[in-house]
């Protein structure tokens, strides 16, 4: 199994970042029903005002190749598009686990 963990730092005021994060979260949580290779999706929005990153997602797929299938799926591309013009930074780690 592979965990795909991504965190995002967004642009804008606290209120603007939160609104974008909420829309993004809702779209991401719909993906397991739309993308066959996606076994699990969890999305968290940062509630700690002392931290700089806004959103983290954890997705689980069976194989590393499935990360690309998920990333290129039209439903994922549409969800990621919600961050257009709002994303300051992105960091990602993909790793095998048991």
């Amino acid at each position: 199994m592979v965990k795909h963990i991504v965190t995002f730092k967004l642009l804008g005021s606290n209120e603007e970042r939160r609104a974008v994060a909420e829309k993004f979260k809702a779209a991401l949580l719909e993906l397991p029903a739309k993308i066959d290779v996606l076994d699990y999706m969890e999305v968290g929005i940062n509630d700690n005002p002392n931290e700089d990153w806004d959103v983290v997602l954890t997705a689980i797929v069976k194989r590393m190749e499935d990360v690309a299938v998920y990333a290129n799926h039209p439903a994922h591309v549409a969800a990621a598009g919600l961050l257009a013009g709002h994303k300051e930074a992105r960091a990602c780690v993909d790793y095998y686990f048991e």
Side-chain angles (χ1 to χ4, degrees):
M1 302 291 284
V2 176
K3 277 194 185 178
H4 171 72
I5 301 175
V6 186
T7 187
F8 298 91
K9 186 184 294 190
L10 304 177
L11 298 167
S13 68
N14 289 342
E15 295 79 18
E16 291 167 335
R17 292 190 341 263
R18 185 67 183 214
V20 169
E22 293 286 354
K23 289 178 187 174
F24 185 51
K25 177 179 179 176
L28 290 173
L29 292 177
E30 293 178 2
L31 296 181
K34 298 177 179 180
I35 304 174
D36 291 341
V37 300
L38 187 56
D39 292 335
Y40 175 81
M41 174 67 73
E42 179 180 53
V43 182
I45 298 174
N46 186 20
D47 290 316
N48 185 345
N50 296 318
E51 296 297 337
D52 294 329
W53 292 80
D54 297 290
V55 180
V56 64
L57 73 87
T58 301
I60 296 177
V61 296
K62 289 179 179 54
R63 304 170 307 133
M64 195 62 72
E65 297 81 9
D66 294 334
V67 174
V69 173
Y70 152 74
N72 293 305
H73 190 282
H76 174 264
V77 172
L82 295 173
L83 296 185
H86 302 285
K87 182 173 57 177
E88 179 178 341
R90 174 188 179 273
C92 177
V93 175
D94 295 318
Y95 64 93
Y96 286 101
F97 74 101
E98 294 181 23

